[in-house]
Amino acid sequence: MLNIHGTALLVGDRGVLIIGSSGAGKTTLALALIDHFSMRGKFSRLVGDDQLFVESRAGRLVAHAPSTIAGLVEIPGLGPRALPHEPAAIIDLCIRLAPAAGVQRFQDEAPEDIAGCGVPVIVVAERDVTAALPAVVASVKNLSFRLD
């Protein structure tokens, strides 16, 4: 089991992992995604914020929050707050937050090895939810699954 700095959520029946440096906007993007899909009547829920345990199970990446912070999200400027959450998720997509200069205009969601599992990754600009949200929503919708 590997401890990583990231935030994970469920959208429909798929897991999304958001990774990036401290202050890159992982929590802000996760909350925006949860809000976006919830406002459209789609299931979306936090799995864990800030620290996650990830491991390979039957060739799939599984993420869950440490028990000490399960169900807590650090809201920028307000601190930790309780939020409905799921205990774990199989991760189907990874969002990497990076400086805007390092983001390619066109990407192919190439798999990246995370804890021994190949997970499709897209890179979006850090600290820019307005620009990242449409790209992430489109990537999530392109996964072959139901959003209900």
Side-chain angles (χ1 to χ4, degrees), residues 2-6 17-19 50-54 61 114:
L2 179 66
N3 185 337
I4 65 170
H5 184 72
L17 172 65
I18 304 170
I19 57 177
D50 191 45
Q51 294 294 316
L52 298 166
F53 291 128
V54 296
L61 184 66
I114 302 173

Side-chain angles (χ1 to χ4, degrees), residues 1-62:
M1 192 172 332
L2 179 66
N3 185 337
I4 65 170
H5 184 72
T7 298
L9 62 147
L10 276 169
V11 176
D13 63 352
R14 299 298 173 140
V16 177
L17 172 65
I18 304 170
I19 57 177
S21 62
S22 184
K26 296 177 294 296
T27 303
T28 302
L29 180 57
L31 292 173
L33 287 165
I34 291 169
D35 184 59
H36 174 87
F37 287 106
S38 293
M39 295 295 289
R40 287 156 180 80
K42 308 300 182 190
F43 178 83
S44 56
R45 181 105 13 115
L46 177 75
V47 173
D49 181 44
D50 191 45
Q51 294 294 316
L52 298 166
F53 291 128
V54 296
E55 63 184 314
S56 175
R57 289 192 193 160
R60 303 290 305 273
L61 184 66
V62 177

Side-chain angles (χ1 to χ4, degrees), residues 62-134:
V62 177
H64 70 276
S67 60
T68 54
I69 60 170
L72 295 176
V73 62
E74 186 177 344
I75 299 175
L78 298 176
R81 297 290 190 262
L83 197 68
H85 70 286
E86 293 295 317
I90 295 172
I91 301 300
D92 299 288
L93 178 66
C94 179
I95 310 302
R96 180 180 300 283
L97 301 178
V103 177
Q104 295 178 6
R105 184 171 176 190
F106 299 105
Q107 300 175 42
D108 61 3
E109 295 180 13
E112 184 174 309
D113 184 275
I114 302 173
C117 298
V119 179
V121 175
I122 64 166
V123 180
V124 298
E126 62 187 10
R127 293 188 278 290
D128 190 351
V129 172
T130 303
L133 192 61

